[in-house]
């Protein structure tokens, strides 16, 4: 069992560009959530996908969008990147609501 | 007011010390609670779930007070390897779906 895998691990982008981050959930998990973690802060909830639909959304602008595929994998897209988008982006998967969430190692995004 | 609040620390303690972390949450509809541990530049990992009756796992004891909306984590006989950030996590119900909300984390540094 590979656990939750994210790609890429590191990324450098320029302001105004667009980025796509990818996540494969742990085997048997169907719910995927994305988090943004700035340095020295706790993870901030971006959104959650279940059955290929966005079910919950945190306080993030529309520049942040996502998708979940039939195999439960997910993408996070960020348009018009700002310097403030620089952070560790974490993907977490769960099997059932209320159970333990497993995290991927994250994608460290740097916007210059 | 943040949904989950923690004392950011840092807590600097000698090996063998007992240290306690506190956490409060604002959503009374929250259903389940966790403590996660995050090492520097790594992903969060589940330390333990928190049950109403309180639960213990070796040197770690977690308590939940639903009336006060308060969660605690006690670490006894601290080890150098306990140095990390401890994240209080609340599973909140909103719009029929659950999402995990993280506190900002409490940093612990255990020294010889």
């Amino acid at each position: 069992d590979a656990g939750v895998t994210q790609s890429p691990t590191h990324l450098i982008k320029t302001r105004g560009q667009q980025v796509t981050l990818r996540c494969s959930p742990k085997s048997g998990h169907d719910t995927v959530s994305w988090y943004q973690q700035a340095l020295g802060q706790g993870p901030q909830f971006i959104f959650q996908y279940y059955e290929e639909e966005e079910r919950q959304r945190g306080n993030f602008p529309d520049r942040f969008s996502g998708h979940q595929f039939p195999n439960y994998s997910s993408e996070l897209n960020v348009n018009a990147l700002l310097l403030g988008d620089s952070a560790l982006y974490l993907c977490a998967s769960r099997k059932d609501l209320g159970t333990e969430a497993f995290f991927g190692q994250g994608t460290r995004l740097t916007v210059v | 007011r943040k949904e989950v609040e923690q004392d950011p620390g840092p807590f600097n303690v000698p090996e063998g010390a007992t240290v306690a972390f506190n956490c409060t949450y604002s959503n009374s509809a929250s259903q389940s609670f966790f403590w996660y541990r995050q090492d520097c530049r790594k992903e969060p990992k589940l330390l333990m779930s928190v049950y109403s009756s309180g639960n213990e796992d070796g040197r770690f004891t977690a308590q939940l007070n639903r009336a006060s909306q308060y969660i605690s984590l006690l670490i006894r006989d601290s080890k150098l390897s306990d140095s990390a950030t401890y994240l209080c996590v609340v599973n909140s119900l909103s719009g029929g779906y659950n999402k995990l909300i993280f506190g900002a984390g409490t940093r612990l540094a255990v020294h010889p």
Side-chain angles (χ1 to χ4, degrees), chain A residues 31-69:
Chain A
T31 302
V32 174
S33 300
W34 286 92
Y35 292 82
Q36 180 195 66
Q37 187 174 26
L39 202 61
Q41 302 295 318
Q44 297 296 306
F45 177 77
I46 301 175
F47 40 54
Q48 176 176 281
Y49 279 85
Y50 173 69
E51 292 186 336
E52 301 179 52
E53 289 193 23
E54 183 182 294
R55 303 292 182 173
Q56 288 272 13
R57 189 177 181 92
N59 188 25
F60 279 81
D62 292 343
R63 299 187 297 109
F64 289 77
S65 63
H67 191 77
Q68 185 178 35
F69 300 94

Side-chain angles (χ1 to χ4, degrees), chain A:
Chain A
D1 183 0
V4 182
T5 59
Q6 291 186 243
S7 64
T9 56
H10 295 81
L11 200 54
I12 300 176
K13 288 286 190 177
T14 304
R15 269 185 304 173
Q17 285 189 313
Q18 178 265 344
V19 68
T20 297
L21 310 182
R22 295 178 176 82
C23 172
S24 292
K26 184 176 171 66
S27 177
H29 288 188
D30 57 9
T31 302
V32 174
S33 300
W34 286 92
Y35 292 82
Q36 180 195 66
Q37 187 174 26
L39 202 61
Q41 302 295 318
Q44 297 296 306
F45 177 77
I46 301 175
F47 40 54
Q48 176 176 281
Y49 279 85
Y50 173 69
E51 292 186 336
E52 301 179 52
E53 289 193 23
E54 183 182 294
R55 303 292 182 173
Q56 288 272 13
R57 189 177 181 92
N59 188 25
F60 279 81
D62 292 343
R63 299 187 297 109
F64 289 77
S65 63
H67 191 77
Q68 185 178 35
F69 300 94
N71 67 352
Y72 307 118
S73 67
S74 178
E75 288 182 349
L76 163 66
N77 300 292
V78 187
N79 295 321
L81 284 166
L82 304 174
L83 295 179
D85 294 333
S86 296
L88 179 68
Y89 288 84
L90 294 161
C91 170
S93 72
R94 296 197 280 179
K95 179 180 179 181
D96 296 307
L97 301 177
T99 60
E100 174 186 359
F102 289 81
F103 283 84
Q105 81 281 11
T107 294
R108 192 164 297 279
L109 172 66
T110 302
V111 182
V112 297

